[in-house]
Structure formats: structure tokens, C-alpha cells
Amino acid sequence: MTTIWTPELRAFRDDVRAFCEENLPADIRLKVLAGVPLTRPDHMRWQDILAGKGWLVGFWPRAYGGCDWSAAETYVFQEETTSSGAPWLLPFGVNYVGPVIYTYGSTDQKAEHLPGITSNEVFWCQGYSEPNAGSDLAGLKTRAVRDGEYYIVNGTKIWTTMAHWADWIFCLVRTDAAAVPQRGISFLLIDLRTRGVTIQPIKSIEGDSHLNQVFFEDVRVPARNLVGEENKGWTYAKFLLGHERVLSAEVGKARRYLRRIKRLAARNGKNNSPRLKDRLSRFEVDLLALEQTTLRVLGAILAGEARGHEASVLKIRGSAILQQISDFAVDVLGTEALSYDPEWLRENAGMPLEEIESMGVVSEALYTRAPTIWGGSNEIQRNILAKHALGL
Amino acid sequence: MVFSLTPEQAMLQESASRFLGDRYDDAARRRFRAEDAGFSLDIWQEIARLGWLGSGFSEQRGGFGGGPIETMILMEAAGNALMSEPLLGSMVLPGSVLAEAGSYDDLAHLIEGKSLFAVAWDEPEQPSALEPATVAEPCGDGLAIHGEKKLVLGGQIADVLLVTAKLDGRLAILRVQSDVGGVDVRTHRTLDGGKAANVRFDSARIDRSDVLASGNEAPAVVSEMLARAIAAACAESLGAARNLHDRTLDYLKLRVQFGRRIGEFQALQHRMADMFIALEEAQSLSMMATAALEEPNGDHRDRILSAAKIGVMGRAMHIGREAIQLHGGVGMTDELPIGDGYKRIKSLSLMFGDEDFHLDRMNSLAV
Ligand SMILES: Cc1cc2nc3c(=O)[nH]c(=O)nc-3n(C[C@H](O)[C@H](O)[C@H](O)COP(=O)(O)OP(=O)(O)OC[C@H]3O[C@@H](n4cnc5c(N)ncnc54)[C@H](O)[C@@H]3O)c2cc1C
């Protein structure tokens, strides 16, 4: 068995840990630990700090402002930051559109868009899903019709996380209605301030409004905002998903949730319950299985031997475990969880941890129903495994 | 287990589902929840006129001759409609207390919808419902109550609170007008989108005649209330689970992805089949709980009720989780009632003893 833990990687882990301890603002950390939904300024403040250190886009090539991190360093960075109570690093610019642009974009596009991501000045969102194209993404209908130096875009995107906070959206649009679905799709960058774009918030079950529906009505998008070639968007979209291979495991976040359960149990006098101890140990077993599998996958990636389907294993297990742990936290709260008011939580987000934590735990548990749905649902991931890993 | 409903029971079931079908949809529920009480007082008056509030009580107790089965029918219908009116908090709990304690005048007021009642029994730090920290002390001719109660269902709007407290070191049930001095009702929102209250008693004064039960009677009244609450919570969860089950089934037949209705994918057919099994079993366990209420209070009955609570809630939660998952993104929205149903089931699963509590009780009463 090979290990990814070189002395350098350990040193890097210690660096990240120390950096978070020194630089993560206490108020943001408190909100994250409590499970309180973050605001745009919360996210931006932390990402500004990372950008200042040069770590916001650490896995990018040096030529584009990154640190050339390996897959292992990228993983360690995510695990350490989330475990320490740092906000989820918004992936839309850094993980999604940035790499697509530096891999497939034109020189002009790189110059126009990459600096805004590395400096954390431009907020991106992801416009893939549509009301009738979710799992079947290739069925998307938003049309982009070429008109001289412009594309005229009509249609709608839905479930667009944080579109109401974003400056730009990267979209998959249909440019050839006659071709087989996957072949008629293009990858287009759209400034959300363009006339004809409307953003409508969607409230989700925890009572917050991170989701949106974005409408495009005769939106004129400069043709230079097409990334790569027309009708090749599907290839770029698949490339983009490949970047998240090991990041959906989220072991660090799950460990943070487990630590919180121990804290809540101690507070409620349940920490000596054998049943609770069993549950926590079982979760730990699940997390070890996930973590060790993730490390093996990383080893394979570093050795150039990864087969590609591993991402589905990690996504299915990572999302399911996170869901079970966050739901269990609500059970540990008991009837305390029944006093829940998302508006109160938003207004009192700055209160001490003990005052807001029970509502935060509930909010987080409700929101955590989503990871098994998004990013290729767990059903779709199982289809991928059955077909590509097992040949069924 | 098969219940053959009497013609009257079948009529009640029929009329409840007709009334809810006519008057209750997602838009109405949203409107009702936004009201001050967290539900519609008009609907409360209407269901009082329809006779719902008295349907679970025998005639000698001022009711309309029914019993636990009638309550089950209504709770299941209310759960299925995801009703926000506090049938559990303002009908089942206080109704049971008033009937068992023999307070028939008050029960008549409850049944007619003239007054709203709530039971303040749960406390922030209290190991057992029979051992409240709240106390009633002699004060002049009457008594003064000190203590703190939490999660008083219906407490946000109750005219009268039925309060458990220690009187001379023994459990007693006291009747307190919610507007007298020394009663501080703090309303809060609840996980299921409704409201409830935390109540503080700071020398709240009552008369000696407001002691509804004491001595050996009081623990029996509280135990009976909790038994009825468990059966009612099971029926309501079952109703809510049926709602989510049915909506999910409809959605699988409607939603098209990859050029097919998603219900054609065998992976989803199996998931739906498992939801169907869970619903059937939950139905059986809910009926078992209701039937147990006819048995004498005791270990056997407690064990059955605990088993039903664990079993129904586990199955209803399974249906709730699957309903969200199989709806995909729309399952996460506040717009669809899937989340409301899920949150209601989760709430009920934590009330009147969570799974740990009932597992402990089953273990301690092991046969
Ligand atoms: C909180 C949240 C945030 C999101 N953020 C974004 C975002 O920022 N940008 C964006 O573009 N999208 C986003 N999404 C959308 C997400 O990617 C889609 O919800 C997801 O792809 C599923 O699509 P759908 O919702 O249309 O469900 P559907 O595809 O309609 O699926 C419904 C159910 O059917 C199942 N199913 C479908 N096809 C099959 C099959 N062949 N075999 C077996 N089961 C199947 C699914 O697994 C699911 O359980 C977000 C979603 C959520 C919930």
C-alpha cells in the first residue's frame, strides 16, 4: 500500500491548519460551527483572506496565479479548512469556470476573466440545470442564436445557487437544435447585469433562499463570450465535473459535524449513553472507510492510474454520510430542535454559539438533504458505477 | 389488523376528507400559518361545528359517543392534509386530561370551540412527565405556581392552560387562565412551520378548586394523556407519510427525464415499492396503537405504544427522506409541501418520547 503522506504533505497540512487558526475570523468560524447560513460578505471576507495568501486558487497552474498544488494538496487544503470551521469555498469560479477558461478559453478570455477569480472580485454562478433538464442535462433547451457579433439567449436556468449574489453566470446553452442533444450544446459566459436577465429567488425547506431561477429574455451576449468551440460545450462541462473528483467526500466537514454532536450530547447529558457512543463509533467507521478510500483514489490519481468512476463512489458515500450525521445531530437535540425559526436565526446570527446552535443544526440538517440530489444525483452516480465500473 | 369502521366512523372519515379536500390546499395552509395564532381560528370553529372536537369522547363524558378510533381517523386525515390547526395540542392532549380528570364543563367548552386549551407538561430539564419541577404552593386561600414549561402545543393561543406541578410533593394537574398575572407566555415558531409556546409561571395565583387532579389520580391522567398522544402522533405521521407517498408516486408518473417518465426506471420503481411497504406497515402499527388504547393501562400497553411510536416514526421518516430525494431539486423547495410533511414527521418523531426514550422503555419492560 502506498501512502500519499510525504513529509512535505504533512508540513503543508500543518501550514494550512496554522493559517486557519491565525486568520479565520472568529465571527465567521462561529457561524460555520453553529450551522448558521452565511451571507455574501461572510464568504467574500474569508475568500479575500485566502486570495491574499495566494491559496484561493491553489490548485491552478502558476501561470494563472495558482500554486500548482497536486490533487493531494488540494484535498488536504479542503479537509483542513473545513475541519477548522472555515466556510465552504465557493466552487463556481475557482473549481468550475476558472479551469474551463484556462484550459479551453481564448487568450482574451483568460485575460478578462481569470484575474477576477484569483483576486476574488468577480462572483460566479453555475447555469446548467433547467426545469426540464436536471439529471438529463443534455435535454437543456435554453437557446443561443447567433446574430452577428452576438448570441441572443432565451430560456431559463433553475436551482442556480447564489445567482442573486453573482456577477456572472456560466451557462450551457443550445446552439444547434438539430444535432444529437450532447452535440448541440455550447459553453457561454454571461454578465448577469445584461438587459433581459431576471433572477427570482427560490426558498428552500430550511427557510433560506440560496437557490434561484434565472430567466433570459432576448439577452444579447457578445459572441466572444463563447468558450472554446461552438457545440463542444458538453466536453467542457464533463471536464469541469472531473475537477471535483475527490472533493465531494467532505470528510473534514463530517468530522466537524461529529465533534459538534459530542458537544451537544455533553450539553444535554446524553454523552454517556451507550447507544449514542455506538452511533458515533459507527459514524467514525464510515468516515474511516470513506477517508481511506479517498486516499487510495488520490494515490491512484497521483500515479496516473485512476479509472474515473471513483468519483461516484466518493460522492455517493460522502453525501450519504454527511446526511446521516447531520440528521442524527437533530435527534441528539431532541425536542429542543422543535423550536426553529429561520428568520430569527438570520437576525441573530451573531449571538453566542449556545444560543443559536440548535437552530443552526436544524437548518444544516434540512439543507443537507440536497447533496444526494445535486451534482449528479446518487441514483445517477449508481447508474454510472453499474455501467462504467461494472460493465452492466 | 383489520378495523371494520362503523357507519358513523365511515361517515366521519368521509366528511373529514371532504372538508379538508374543499377547504385545505397548499395556499390555504400558507395563509393560515401566517396568522397570529400560527393557524386559522375560523377553521377551528368550523371543525368544532362539524363535531370533530367531541368525536373522540363518550357520551357520558360530554362527547358524541366515539373513542380512540374516531381520534385516529381525524388525526390521519389532518396529517394527510398537513393541517396546521393544533388538533394534537388543543384537542387530543387537553381533551384527554379533562375527560380523565372528570372536568366535564371544561370539556364541553373545548368540544364546542368556546375556549382553547393547552397542556403545559414538558419542562426544559425534566426526566419524567410525572416528576415536574414546577410547584404549586399554598398562598392565601389558594395556590401560587412557580416553574417553567416548554413546547406547549397550542399554548400560543390557549385561554386555559392545564399545568402539571408538584403540590405537597405529589403530582397535580392545575387549571390556569393564561391571562392571569404571573403567567408569561412566549410564543415561538416551530420546525414544522407552526407555533408553540414556552410558559413561565411566576407566582401565578389559582383557586383550590382549580386543582383538577391530584393524589393517585394525577399520574393516571398524565399517563393516559401521553398514551393517547402517542397513538394520535402515530396516526398523524401516517397521514403525512401517505401524503408524501402519494405525491411522490404521482411525480414518478409525471416527471420526464431521458425521454421517459422517471417511474419507468426500475431503480426508482423499487424505491417506490419500498415506500409502499413502509406505508402499509406504518398503517398497521398505527392501528395497533389505537387498539391498545382500549386496553387497561399497564406495562403491556406501554410496550405496544412504544413499539408503535418507534415503528411508525421510522417508517414515516423513511418515506419523508425518499420523497425529497425522488423529487430531485423541487423536493427541496418550500413551495412544494414535501418539506412541510418531512418536517412535521420529524417533529412528531421527537415528541412524546423520541426513539431512544421508547427503546429504553421497551427494554425496561422486556417480556
Ligand atoms: C441545493 C441545490 C443546489 C443546486 N445548485 C445548482 C447550481 O448552482 N447550478 C445548477 O446548474 N444546478 C444546481 N442544482 C441542480 C441539481 O444539479 C439538480 O437538481 C440535479 O441534477 C437533479 O435534477 P432534477 O432536480 O431536475 O431532478 P430529476 O432529474 O427530475 O430527478 C428526479 C429523481 O429521479 C431520479 N432519476 C432521474 N433519472 C434517473 C435515472 N435514469 N435512473 C434512476 N433515477 C433517476 C433522480 O435521481 C431523482 O431522484 C442544485 C440542486 C440543489 C438541490
Side-chain angles (χ1 to χ4, degrees):
Chain A
M1 212 169 99
T2 57
T3 169
I4 66 158
W5 289 112
T6 59
E8 293 76 23
L9 192 62
R10 282 183 207 282
F12 176 67
R13 182 186 61 190
D14 296 342
D15 282 352
V16 176
R17 200 173 284 178
F19 181 81
C20 290
E21 242 161 61
E22 263 170 51
N23 297 286
L24 176 59
D27 60 320
I28 296 180
R29 179 166 181 272
L30 186 137
K31 275 191 180 181
V32 171
L33 291 184
V36 176
L38 300 179
T39 62
R40 187 184 198 273
D42 292 332
H43 283 290
M44 292 311 262
R45 194 144 52 97
W46 170 237
Q47 296 194 167
D48 279 344
I49 292 169
L50 290 177
K53 172 83 177 164
W55 279 357
L56 183 61
V57 298
F59 76 92
W60 288 20
R62 284 192 196 284
Y64 303 116
C67 311
D68 253 331
W69 284 345
S70 66
E73 285 164 317
T74 309
Y75 168 76
V76 164
F77 176 75
Q78 170 175 290
E79 291 307 298
E80 283 305 321
T81 48
T82 49
S83 173
S84 75
W88 175 54
L89 198 67
L90 299 178
F92 311 111
V94 173
N95 287 312
Y96 298 167
V97 76
V100 169
I101 293 174
Y102 68 64
T103 310
Y104 298 104
S106 66
T107 313
D108 283 350
Q109 283 169 343
K110 291 178 197 173
E112 185 182 351
H113 295 293
L114 297 182
I117 299 176
T118 51
S119 66
N120 195 38
E121 277 162 302
V122 179
F123 198 121
W124 284 86
C125 65
Q126 176 187 24
Y128 278 21
S129 307
E130 297 183 4
N132 289 311
S135 297
D136 181 15
L137 187 56
L140 62 92
K141 295 247 157 42
T142 296
R143 289 276 284 146
V145 178
R146 188 68 184 251
D147 177 20
E149 285 309 292
Y150 289 88
Y151 282 100
I152 313 296
V153 178
N154 278 287
T156 181
K157 295 291 174 180
I158 197 167
W159 319 126
T160 326
T161 303
M162 298 177 189
H164 59 309
W165 292 344
D167 306 303
W168 281 73
I169 184 169
F170 58 96
C171 284
L172 292 181
V173 292
R174 187 155 300 287
T175 36
D176 183 351
V180 235
Q182 285 84 342
R183 297 239 182 88
I185 292 171
S186 298
F187 197 105
L188 200 56
L189 313 176
I190 304 177
D191 184 339
L192 283 169
R193 282 161 307 187
T194 319
R195 190 135 51 97
V197 177
T198 7
I199 299 172
Q200 224 175 63
I202 299 174
K203 198 164 155 192
S204 43
I205 59 175
E206 83 285 5
D208 221 318
S209 303
H210 282 316
L211 297 174
N212 300 275
Q213 183 162 6
V214 183
F215 297 90
F216 301 90
E217 207 186 320
D218 291 328
V219 176
R220 292 173 68 80
V221 180
R224 63 184 161 79
N225 288 356
L226 174 79
V227 175
E229 288 175 52
E230 202 178 74
N231 296 329
K232 290 272 176 69
W234 193 250
T235 316
Y236 313 144
K238 279 173 70 177
F239 162 86
L240 174 158
L241 294 176
H243 256 278
E244 288 239 294
R245 273 189 298 199
V246 298
L247 298 186
S248 55
E250 299 205 284
V251 177
K253 192 193 265 185
R255 288 242 159 82
R256 199 178 74 213
Y257 285 10
L258 276 188
R259 285 198 296 271
R260 176 164 65 200
I261 291 180
K262 287 180 190 154
R263 204 165 61 233
L264 295 174
R267 201 178 81 197
N268 293 1
K270 293 185 182 171
N271 47 337
N272 282 323
S273 146
R275 202 172 287 129
L276 181 112
K277 287 182 183 172
D278 279 0
R279 274 303 283 276
L280 292 179
S281 294
R282 282 183 199 284
F283 281 135
E284 204 179 317
V285 173
D286 285 345
L287 280 181
L288 285 169
L290 177 64
E291 184 176 40
Q292 294 303 316
T293 307
T294 307
L295 294 174
R296 274 177 56 220
V297 171
L298 274 172
I301 290 174
L302 294 178
E305 290 164 0
R307 290 167 58 200
H309 61 251
E310 298 89 344
S312 297
V313 174
L314 303 182
K315 198 269 170 173
I316 291 171
R317 289 302 294 151
S319 57
I321 293 170
L322 207 58
Q323 216 165 54
Q324 287 162 17
I325 294 179
S326 56
D327 202 33
F328 183 60
V330 178
D331 294 338
V332 171
L333 284 175
T335 50
E336 203 184 335
L338 297 184
S339 170
Y340 181 65
D341 186 345
E343 266 166 57
W344 186 94
L345 186 59
R346 263 194 300 279
E347 284 160 16
N348 294 279
M351 305 254 286
L353 193 63
E354 309 79 57
E355 309 264 330
I356 52 176
E357 190 165 40
S358 76
M359 286 200 201
V361 164
V362 174
S363 172
E364 208 158 64
L366 292 172
Y367 187 70
T368 307
R369 299 318 308 170
T372 51
I373 297 171
W374 73 36
S377 74
N378 285 17
E379 289 73 32
I380 296 299
Q381 303 293 346
R382 286 188 173 88
N383 288 347
I384 293 173
L385 283 180
K387 193 164 165 191
H388 298 289
L390 304 171
L392 291 170
Chain B
M1 179 155 328
V2 187
F3 277 172
S4 37
L5 299 185
T6 63
E8 290 77 19
Q9 288 167 344
M11 247 170 63
L12 179 69
Q13 193 171 46
E14 159 76 33
S15 106
S17 71
R18 188 154 12 91
F19 173 76
L20 291 169
D22 287 350
R23 300 294 311 276
Y24 232 87
D25 57 19
D26 297 338
R29 184 176 54 256
R30 235 183 289 276
R31 219 167 46 241
F32 298 158
R33 278 203 185 146
E35 292 186 16
D36 267 355
F39 67 93
S40 163
L41 288 165
D42 290 342
I43 292 279
W44 192 261
Q45 290 307 318
E46 284 188 60
I47 62 176
R49 273 197 295 280
L50 287 169
W52 286 22
L53 304 182
S55 65
F57 305 104
S58 63
E59 272 158 14
Q60 69 262 35
R61 290 173 164 182
F64 305 137
I69 296 180
E70 279 74 7
T71 305
M72 180 192 81
I73 288 169
L74 290 178
M75 293 310 293
E76 203 178 315
N80 193 47
L82 302 175
M83 232 180 147
S84 44
E85 285 60 37
L87 285 185
L88 198 49
S90 305
M91 178 182 84
V92 176
L93 299 184
S96 170
V97 168
L98 294 172
E100 295 301 315
S103 307
Y104 299 136
D105 289 346
D106 279 331
L107 186 57
H109 289 153
L110 183 157
I111 290 172
E112 291 160 25
K114 275 194 188 151
S115 309
L116 280 152
F117 292 79
V119 184
W121 65 277
D122 206 357
E123 296 190 354
E125 317 217 356
Q126 164 212 49
S128 151
L130 303 180
E131 302 290 340
T134 300
V135 292
E137 290 166 352
C139 179
D141 291 342
L143 298 167
I145 308 174
H146 302 270
E148 203 173 333
K149 300 287 181 177
K150 69 167 195 199
L151 201 68
V152 181
L153 306 174
Q156 72 277 16
I157 188 80
D159 306 300
V160 185
L161 297 167
L162 307 177
V163 184
T164 56
K166 281 289 179 73
L167 173 63
D168 301 328
R170 300 188 69 185
L171 182 68
I173 300 170
L174 316 170
R175 181 186 187 288
V176 186
Q177 297 291 333
S178 64
D179 59 359
V180 303
V183 179
D184 180 17
V185 177
R186 297 203 179 165
T187 299
H188 63 81
R189 281 257 163 226
T190 48
L191 170 58
D192 56 21
K195 285 183 176 172
N198 294 327
V199 185
R200 271 182 64 98
F201 300 94
D202 192 6
S203 269
R205 301 283 301 272
I206 56 168
D207 292 337
R208 289 260 173 196
S209 60
D210 289 320
V211 179
L212 300 186
S214 58
N216 291 336
E217 192 193 12
V221 172
V222 172
S223 301
E224 186 62 27
M225 174 194 83
L226 291 175
R228 281 170 193 266
I230 288 169
C234 286
E236 189 182 345
S237 283
L238 168 66
R242 188 184 305 287
N243 177 316
L244 299 189
H245 170 280
D246 292 353
R247 279 181 200 262
T248 307
L249 180 57
D250 287 347
Y251 194 67
L252 293 189
K253 293 175 182 170
L254 189 81
R255 174 71 169 168
V256 175
Q257 289 287 278
F258 304 99
R260 295 211 246 159
R261 289 174 219 289
I262 57 174
E264 290 177 47
F265 296 120
Q266 203 163 55
L268 300 191
Q269 291 175 352
H270 287 186
R271 301 275 286 272
M272 196 68 230
D274 284 340
M275 288 167 76
F276 176 71
I277 294 171
L279 191 68
E280 286 293 321
E281 288 191 338
Q283 168 91 68
S284 308
L285 290 170
S286 165
M287 289 171 141
M288 176 182 81
T290 291
L293 294 180
E294 308 278 16
E295 281 186 32
N297 193 354
D299 287 359
H300 178 67
R301 186 173 91 157
D302 282 350
R303 210 154 185 279
I304 297 268
L305 288 169
S306 283
K309 181 81 175 23
I310 295 167
V312 171
M313 296 303 161
R315 283 159 182 78
M317 280 303 297
H318 170 78
I319 291 170
R321 287 190 294 266
E322 291 289 83
I324 295 177
Q325 181 67 23
L326 298 191
H327 273 81
V330 284
M332 283 296 293
T333 62
D334 189 54
E335 171 113 18
L336 277 201
I338 305 294
D340 281 344
Y342 175 83
K343 287 182 271 188
R344 183 67 189 154
I345 294 169
K346 183 84 200 175
S347 304
L348 290 165
S349 82
L350 295 171
M351 285 183 212
F352 313 115
D354 57 11
E355 187 174 275
D356 270 4
F357 172 91
H358 287 290
L359 282 171
D360 286 342
R361 194 163 82 158
M362 285 190 80
N363 294 345
S364 73
L365 301 175
V367 275

